[in-house]
Amino acid sequence: MLNRLRRGIGAAMVVGASVAAGTLAMGSPARADYPEKPVEMTVLFGGTANTIAQLLTELMSEELGNPVVPVSRPGGGGAIGYAHVQSTRPDGYNIVWNSNSINTAHHLGNLPFGYDAFTPIARVSVEVPVLAVNKDKNWENLDDMVAAVKESGKPINVGISGKGSFTHLTSVALFDAMGIADKVNYISYGDGKAPVELLAGRIDAAIQWPGQFVSYVESGDVVVLASTGSEKVEVIPGLKTAQEQGYDIDIAMWRGLAAPTGTPPAVVEKLEAAAQAAVKTEAFQKASQTIGFKPAFLGNEEFGELIAHDDAFYADLLEKLGMTK
Protein backbone atom coordinates (compact mmCIF):
# COMPACT_ATOMS: atom_id res chain seq x y z
CA MET A 1 0.00 0.00 0.00
CA LEU A 2 2.79 2.40 0.97
CA ASN A 3 4.74 1.60 -2.23
CA ARG A 4 1.64 2.22 -4.39
CA LEU A 5 1.17 5.58 -2.67
CA ARG A 6 4.79 6.57 -3.27
CA ARG A 7 4.54 5.59 -6.95
CA GLY A 8 1.37 7.66 -7.30
CA ILE A 9 2.94 10.73 -5.73
CA GLY A 10 6.03 10.37 -7.94
CA ALA A 11 3.95 10.13 -11.10
CA ALA A 12 1.92 13.15 -10.07
CA MET A 13 5.11 15.16 -9.53
CA VAL A 14 6.44 14.22 -12.99
CA VAL A 15 3.16 15.14 -14.67
CA GLY A 16 2.98 18.40 -12.68
CA ALA A 17 6.54 19.32 -13.64
CA SER A 18 5.83 18.59 -17.31
CA VAL A 19 2.69 20.72 -17.29
CA ALA A 20 4.53 23.57 -15.55
CA ALA A 21 7.37 23.42 -18.05
CA GLY A 22 4.95 23.45 -20.95
CA THR A 23 3.06 26.39 -19.49
CA LEU A 24 6.32 28.29 -18.94
CA ALA A 25 7.41 27.60 -22.50
CA MET A 26 4.12 28.88 -23.91
CA GLY A 27 4.19 31.91 -21.65
CA SER A 28 7.76 32.97 -22.65
CA PRO A 29 8.32 33.80 -26.32
CA ALA A 30 11.40 32.35 -28.03
CA ARG A 31 14.49 34.57 -28.14
CA ALA A 32 14.22 36.85 -31.15
CA ASP A 33 16.73 36.74 -33.98
CA TYR A 34 19.47 39.38 -34.24
CA PRO A 35 19.10 42.29 -33.96
CA GLU A 36 16.98 42.56 -30.82
CA LYS A 37 17.99 46.18 -30.19
CA PRO A 38 19.55 49.14 -32.06
CA VAL A 39 22.91 48.66 -33.76
CA GLU A 40 25.42 51.47 -33.29
CA MET A 41 27.53 52.44 -36.31
CA THR A 42 30.64 54.49 -35.54
CA VAL A 43 31.32 57.10 -38.23
CA LEU A 44 34.96 58.16 -38.41
CA PHE A 45 34.80 61.23 -40.61
CA GLY A 46 32.56 64.11 -41.64
CA GLY A 47 31.89 65.32 -45.18
CA THR A 48 30.73 62.78 -47.74
CA ALA A 49 31.66 59.89 -45.43
CA ASN A 50 29.08 61.11 -42.95
CA THR A 51 26.50 61.85 -45.65
CA ILE A 52 26.72 58.33 -47.07
CA ALA A 53 26.65 56.83 -43.58
CA GLN A 54 23.44 58.68 -42.70
CA LEU A 55 21.67 57.28 -45.76
CA LEU A 56 23.12 53.80 -45.33
CA THR A 57 21.94 53.55 -41.72
CA GLU A 58 18.41 54.56 -42.70
CA LEU A 59 18.25 51.93 -45.44
CA MET A 60 19.81 49.19 -43.30
CA SER A 61 17.38 49.97 -40.48
CA GLU A 62 14.51 49.18 -42.83
CA GLU A 63 16.08 45.86 -43.75
CA LEU A 64 16.98 44.77 -40.21
CA GLY A 65 13.77 45.86 -38.52
CA ASN A 66 15.71 47.67 -35.80
CA PRO A 67 17.48 51.04 -35.94
CA VAL A 68 21.06 51.34 -37.09
CA VAL A 69 22.24 54.50 -35.35
CA PRO A 70 25.19 56.52 -36.71
CA VAL A 71 27.47 57.97 -34.02
CA SER A 72 30.27 60.36 -34.97
CA ARG A 73 33.66 59.57 -33.41
CA PRO A 74 36.23 61.52 -35.45
CA GLY A 75 39.91 62.09 -34.74
CA GLY A 76 43.33 60.60 -35.28
CA GLY A 77 42.69 59.74 -38.92
CA GLY A 78 40.04 57.26 -37.77
CA ALA A 79 42.02 55.97 -34.78
CA ILE A 80 39.58 57.17 -32.11
CA GLY A 81 36.59 55.46 -33.70
CA TYR A 82 38.45 52.24 -34.46
CA ALA A 83 39.74 52.02 -30.88
CA HIS A 84 36.22 52.44 -29.52
CA VAL A 85 34.64 49.73 -31.68
CA GLN A 86 37.54 47.33 -31.18
CA SER A 87 37.02 47.55 -27.41
CA THR A 88 33.32 46.59 -27.55
CA ARG A 89 31.77 43.12 -27.30
CA PRO A 90 31.79 41.18 -30.61
CA ASP A 91 28.02 40.74 -30.67
CA GLY A 92 27.07 42.78 -33.74
CA TYR A 93 25.71 45.77 -31.86
CA ASN A 94 28.79 47.93 -32.46
CA ILE A 95 30.09 48.24 -36.01
CA VAL A 96 32.28 50.75 -37.78
CA TRP A 97 31.89 52.60 -41.09
CA ASN A 98 35.45 51.82 -42.08
CA SER A 99 37.76 52.67 -44.95
CA ASN A 100 41.39 52.40 -46.11
CA SER A 101 42.05 54.45 -42.97
CA ILE A 102 42.31 51.20 -41.00
CA ASN A 103 45.46 50.48 -43.02
CA THR A 104 46.93 53.99 -42.98
CA ALA A 105 46.17 54.74 -39.31
CA HIS A 106 47.95 51.55 -38.25
CA HIS A 107 51.06 52.04 -40.38
CA LEU A 108 51.28 55.73 -39.46
CA GLY A 109 51.56 54.61 -35.84
CA ASN A 110 48.17 55.97 -34.72
CA LEU A 111 46.74 52.52 -33.91
CA PRO A 112 48.40 49.70 -31.94
CA PHE A 113 46.40 47.11 -33.89
CA GLY A 114 45.74 46.48 -37.59
CA TYR A 115 42.88 45.45 -39.85
CA ASP A 116 42.79 41.92 -38.40
CA ALA A 117 41.25 43.35 -35.20
CA PHE A 118 38.01 43.50 -37.20
CA THR A 119 35.79 41.13 -39.13
CA PRO A 120 34.87 42.55 -42.53
CA ILE A 121 31.15 42.78 -43.25
CA ALA A 122 30.86 44.38 -46.68
CA ARG A 123 32.31 47.06 -48.91
CA VAL A 124 29.67 49.60 -49.82
CA SER A 125 31.21 52.36 -51.93
CA VAL A 126 34.31 53.76 -53.59
CA GLU A 127 35.38 57.41 -53.80
CA VAL A 128 38.22 58.80 -55.91
CA PRO A 129 39.92 61.97 -54.62
CA VAL A 130 40.41 64.91 -56.99
CA LEU A 131 42.88 67.79 -57.06
CA ALA A 132 41.25 71.22 -57.15
CA VAL A 133 42.98 74.61 -57.47
CA ASN A 134 42.11 78.27 -57.24
CA LYS A 135 40.87 79.48 -60.63
CA ASP A 136 43.19 82.49 -60.47
CA LYS A 137 46.17 80.19 -60.93
CA ASN A 138 45.15 79.66 -64.57
CA TRP A 139 46.22 76.01 -64.42
CA GLU A 140 44.27 73.67 -66.69
CA ASN A 141 46.12 70.40 -66.07
CA LEU A 142 48.88 68.83 -63.99
CA ASP A 143 51.63 69.85 -66.40
CA ASP A 144 50.62 73.50 -66.01
CA MET A 145 50.86 73.17 -62.25
CA VAL A 146 54.27 71.47 -62.34
CA ALA A 147 55.70 74.07 -64.72
CA ALA A 148 54.41 77.00 -62.67
CA VAL A 149 55.65 75.64 -59.35
CA LYS A 150 59.10 74.82 -60.70
CA GLU A 151 59.41 78.17 -62.45
CA SER A 152 58.48 80.23 -59.39
CA GLY A 153 60.66 78.24 -57.02
CA LYS A 154 58.23 79.14 -54.23
CA PRO A 155 56.26 76.60 -52.21
CA ILE A 156 52.51 76.27 -52.64
CA ASN A 157 49.96 75.87 -49.86
CA VAL A 158 47.94 72.67 -50.08
CA GLY A 159 44.93 72.02 -47.88
CA ILE A 160 44.37 68.66 -46.20
CA SER A 161 41.79 67.30 -43.76
CA GLY A 162 44.53 66.71 -41.20
CA LYS A 163 48.03 65.34 -40.78
CA GLY A 164 48.06 61.63 -41.50
CA SER A 165 44.61 61.76 -43.10
CA PHE A 166 43.82 59.98 -46.35
CA THR A 167 43.84 63.30 -48.24
CA HIS A 168 47.26 64.06 -46.78
CA LEU A 169 48.64 60.69 -47.88
CA THR A 170 47.10 61.03 -51.34
CA SER A 171 48.51 64.54 -51.71
CA VAL A 172 52.02 63.44 -50.76
CA ALA A 173 51.88 60.53 -53.19
CA LEU A 174 50.58 62.67 -56.07
CA PHE A 175 53.04 65.52 -55.62
CA ASP A 176 55.85 63.01 -55.27
CA ALA A 177 54.84 61.51 -58.62
CA MET A 178 54.71 65.03 -60.08
CA GLY A 179 58.19 65.84 -58.79
CA ILE A 180 57.16 68.82 -56.66
CA ALA A 181 56.83 67.22 -53.22
CA ASP A 182 59.55 69.49 -51.85
CA LYS A 183 57.58 72.59 -52.90
CA VAL A 184 54.47 71.94 -50.81
CA ASN A 185 53.32 73.35 -47.46
CA TYR A 186 50.40 71.40 -45.95
CA ILE A 187 47.67 73.28 -44.13
CA SER A 188 45.01 71.45 -42.13
CA TYR A 189 41.41 72.64 -42.07
CA GLY A 190 38.05 71.26 -40.96
CA ASP A 191 36.04 68.73 -42.93
CA GLY A 192 34.21 70.14 -45.93
CA LYS A 193 36.05 73.49 -45.98
CA ALA A 194 38.30 72.95 -49.01
CA PRO A 195 36.19 75.03 -51.46
CA VAL A 196 35.90 77.94 -49.00
CA GLU A 197 39.65 77.94 -48.37
CA LEU A 198 40.36 77.89 -52.11
CA LEU A 199 37.95 80.71 -52.87
CA ALA A 200 39.45 82.82 -50.08
CA GLY A 201 42.93 82.27 -51.49
CA ARG A 202 44.26 80.86 -48.23
CA ILE A 203 45.38 77.71 -50.06
CA ASP A 204 46.46 77.15 -53.65
CA ALA A 205 45.24 73.57 -54.03
CA ALA A 206 43.41 70.79 -52.20
CA ILE A 207 42.78 67.10 -52.66
CA GLN A 208 39.30 66.14 -51.52
CA TRP A 209 36.21 64.21 -52.58
CA PRO A 210 34.64 65.32 -55.89
CA GLY A 211 31.22 66.00 -54.38
CA GLN A 212 32.68 68.96 -52.48
CA PHE A 213 33.73 70.71 -55.67
CA VAL A 214 30.95 69.98 -58.17
CA SER A 215 28.91 73.16 -57.67
CA TYR A 216 32.06 75.32 -57.65
CA VAL A 217 33.30 73.71 -60.86
CA GLU A 218 29.93 74.37 -62.49
CA SER A 219 30.05 78.03 -61.40
CA GLY A 220 33.63 78.36 -62.65
CA ASP A 221 35.05 79.35 -59.26
CA VAL A 222 37.26 76.29 -58.86
CA VAL A 223 39.22 74.23 -61.38
CA VAL A 224 39.73 70.48 -60.89
CA LEU A 225 42.92 69.27 -62.56
CA ALA A 226 42.87 65.48 -62.08
CA SER A 227 41.57 62.49 -60.18
CA THR A 228 43.94 60.14 -58.39
CA GLY A 229 42.33 56.79 -59.24
CA SER A 230 42.41 54.70 -62.39
CA GLU A 231 38.66 55.05 -62.99
CA LYS A 232 36.82 58.13 -64.22
CA VAL A 233 34.96 60.41 -61.82
CA GLU A 234 31.57 60.61 -63.47
CA VAL A 235 30.26 63.50 -61.39
CA ILE A 236 32.83 65.81 -63.08
CA PRO A 237 32.52 65.04 -66.82
CA GLY A 238 35.68 65.14 -68.90
CA LEU A 239 38.06 65.08 -65.93
CA LYS A 240 41.26 63.18 -66.71
CA THR A 241 43.01 60.88 -64.26
CA ALA A 242 46.57 61.60 -63.16
CA GLN A 243 47.61 58.43 -65.01
CA GLU A 244 46.13 59.75 -68.26
CA GLN A 245 48.27 62.85 -67.78
CA GLY A 246 51.44 60.82 -67.35
CA TYR A 247 51.73 60.62 -63.57
CA ASP A 248 51.81 57.14 -62.07
CA ILE A 249 49.37 57.10 -59.18
CA ASP A 250 46.27 55.03 -58.48
CA ILE A 251 44.68 55.79 -55.12
CA ALA A 252 40.98 55.58 -54.26
CA MET A 253 39.08 55.16 -51.03
CA TRP A 254 36.69 52.33 -50.34
CA ARG A 255 34.17 52.55 -47.54
CA GLY A 256 32.45 49.65 -45.86
CA LEU A 257 31.43 48.01 -42.62
CA ALA A 258 33.35 45.96 -40.09
CA ALA A 259 32.78 44.50 -36.62
CA PRO A 260 35.14 43.43 -33.83
CA THR A 261 36.88 40.12 -34.50
CA GLY A 262 34.87 37.28 -33.00
CA THR A 263 31.48 38.55 -34.12
CA PRO A 264 29.31 35.46 -34.88
CA PRO A 265 29.22 34.51 -38.59
CA ALA A 266 25.41 34.49 -38.60
CA VAL A 267 25.37 38.09 -37.39
CA VAL A 268 27.96 39.15 -39.97
CA GLU A 269 25.90 37.45 -42.67
CA LYS A 270 22.76 39.33 -41.65
CA LEU A 271 24.55 42.68 -41.65
CA GLU A 272 26.15 41.86 -45.00
CA ALA A 273 22.73 41.09 -46.52
CA ALA A 274 21.28 44.34 -45.13
CA ALA A 275 24.17 46.35 -46.59
CA GLN A 276 23.76 44.70 -49.99
CA ALA A 277 20.03 45.40 -50.03
CA ALA A 278 20.69 49.05 -49.10
CA VAL A 279 23.22 49.50 -51.91
CA LYS A 280 20.72 48.15 -54.45
CA THR A 281 18.00 50.64 -53.55
CA GLU A 282 17.06 53.45 -55.91
CA ALA A 283 17.69 55.97 -53.12
CA PHE A 284 21.31 54.85 -52.70
CA GLN A 285 21.94 54.77 -56.44
CA LYS A 286 20.57 58.30 -56.89
CA ALA A 287 22.59 59.61 -53.96
CA SER A 288 25.79 58.30 -55.53
CA GLN A 289 25.20 60.47 -58.60
CA THR A 290 24.55 63.56 -56.51
CA ILE A 291 27.28 63.15 -53.91
CA GLY A 292 29.92 61.74 -56.23
CA PHE A 293 30.71 58.22 -55.11
CA LYS A 294 30.37 54.81 -56.74
CA PRO A 295 28.18 52.07 -55.24
CA ALA A 296 30.55 49.10 -55.07
CA PHE A 297 29.26 46.23 -52.95
CA LEU A 298 31.61 43.41 -52.02
CA GLY A 299 30.69 40.59 -49.67
CA ASN A 300 32.49 39.58 -46.50
CA GLU A 301 35.10 37.29 -48.07
CA GLU A 302 36.06 39.45 -51.05
CA PHE A 303 36.09 42.56 -48.89
CA GLY A 304 38.49 40.87 -46.49
CA GLU A 305 40.84 40.04 -49.35
CA LEU A 306 40.75 43.66 -50.53
CA ILE A 307 41.57 45.01 -47.07
CA ALA A 308 44.54 42.64 -46.73
CA HIS A 309 45.80 43.63 -50.20
CA ASP A 310 45.51 47.33 -49.41
CA ASP A 311 47.27 46.90 -46.10
CA ALA A 312 50.38 45.65 -47.89
CA PHE A 313 50.06 48.43 -50.50
CA TYR A 314 49.84 51.28 -47.98
CA ALA A 315 52.55 49.82 -45.76
CA ASP A 316 54.90 49.87 -48.75
CA LEU A 317 53.78 53.32 -49.94
CA LEU A 318 54.11 54.93 -46.53
CA GLU A 319 57.55 53.43 -46.07
CA LYS A 320 58.68 54.77 -49.46
CA LEU A 321 57.36 58.22 -48.53
CA GLY A 322 59.08 58.07 -45.14
CA MET A 323 55.82 58.38 -43.23
CA THR A 324 55.82 55.13 -41.22
CA LYS A 325 56.48 55.04 -37.47
Side-chain angles (χ1 to χ4, degrees):
M1 179 69 180
L2 183 59
N3 288 338
R4 286 200 300 270
L5 181 59
R6 286 173 175 168
R7 287 197 297 269
I9 293 173
M13 290 177 64
V14 171
V15 171
S18 299
V19 171
T23 302
L24 184 61
M26 288 187 291
S28 300
R31 185 177 177 85
D33 288 338
Y34 169 89
E36 300 176 84
K37 60 183 181 179
V39 176
E40 187 175 285
M41 180 194 292
T42 289
V43 181
L44 308 171
F45 305 103
T48 56
N50 183 61
T51 303
I52 301 170
Q54 296 290 332
L55 176 59
L56 181 65
T57 52
E58 290 177 15
L59 297 172
M60 288 183 65
S61 296
E62 295 174 8
E63 290 294 323
L64 292 171
N66 250 312
V68 179
V69 183
V71 178
S72 179
R73 291 190 173 91
I80 290 177
Y82 285 122
H84 168 78
V85 177
Q86 192 269 339
S87 70
T88 62
R89 291 179 60 186
D91 55 10
Y93 290 103
N94 280 279
I95 61 177
V96 61
W97 178 227
N98 72 336
S99 66
N100 315 59
S101 57
I102 184 59
N103 307 127
T104 56
H106 174 58
H107 293 295
L108 285 168
N110 297 332
L111 275 179
F113 51 81
Y115 71 94
D116 52 0
F118 298 92
T119 295
I121 295 170
R123 185 183 74 176
V124 171
S125 64
V126 170
E127 291 173 78
V128 180
V130 298
L131 172 64
V133 299
N134 189 306
K135 68 172 183 177
D136 295 335
K137 294 297 180 182
N138 295 317
W139 299 334
E140 296 183 0
N141 51 51
L142 296 182
D143 285 344
D144 287 348
M145 184 177 188
V146 170
V149 171
K150 288 185 176 181
E151 183 178 350
S152 72
K154 299 178 180 179
I156 57 172
N157 294 322
V158 175
I160 55 174
S161 299
K163 185 177 180 181
S165 66
F166 191 79
T167 54
H168 182 203
L169 169 62
T170 306
S171 300
V172 172
L174 176 60
F175 294 130
D176 181 68
M178 292 167 63
I180 57 172
D182 60 335
K183 301 294 184 183
V184 176
N185 288 328
Y186 290 106
I187 299 176
S188 299
Y189 51 74
D191 286 329
K193 294 184 178 179
V196 175
E197 298 296 303
L198 283 172
L199 292 176
R202 288 188 285 269
I203 57 176
D204 301 304
I207 286 184
Q208 272 297 337
W209 313 114
Q212 292 191 25
F213 297 121
V214 172
S215 62
Y216 298 94
V217 170
E218 292 174 347
S219 65
D221 293 318
V222 166
V223 177
V224 177
L225 302 184
S227 60
T228 65
S230 57
E231 296 185 16
K232 293 285 190 179
V233 173
E234 296 180 3
V235 74
I236 303 179
L239 179 64
K240 290 186 177 182
T241 68
Q243 286 185 341
E244 289 178 318
Q245 298 181 55
Y247 300 97
D248 187 18
I249 182 174
D250 181 9
I251 295 181
M253 174 170 278
W254 48 257
R255 299 192 193 277
L257 299 170
T261 294
T263 300
V267 170
V268 173
E269 185 177 348
K270 195 156 189 179
L271 288 166
E272 176 187 350
Q276 183 175 27
V279 171
K280 288 182 177 179
T281 62
E282 183 178 355
F284 197 83
Q285 296 293 322
K286 283 186 176 180
S288 71
Q289 298 169 14
T290 303
I291 300 171
F293 67 90
K294 180 181 178 182
F297 177 83
L298 276 182
N300 160 267
E301 187 173 340
E302 290 179 295
F303 186 33
E305 292 173 357
L306 171 65
I307 296 173
H309 173 273
D310 273 13
D311 192 70
F313 170 78
Y314 286 109
D316 181 62
L317 177 61
L318 286 166
E319 184 175 0
K320 286 180 179 177
L321 296 175
M323 297 176 68
T324 53
K325 291 183 180 180

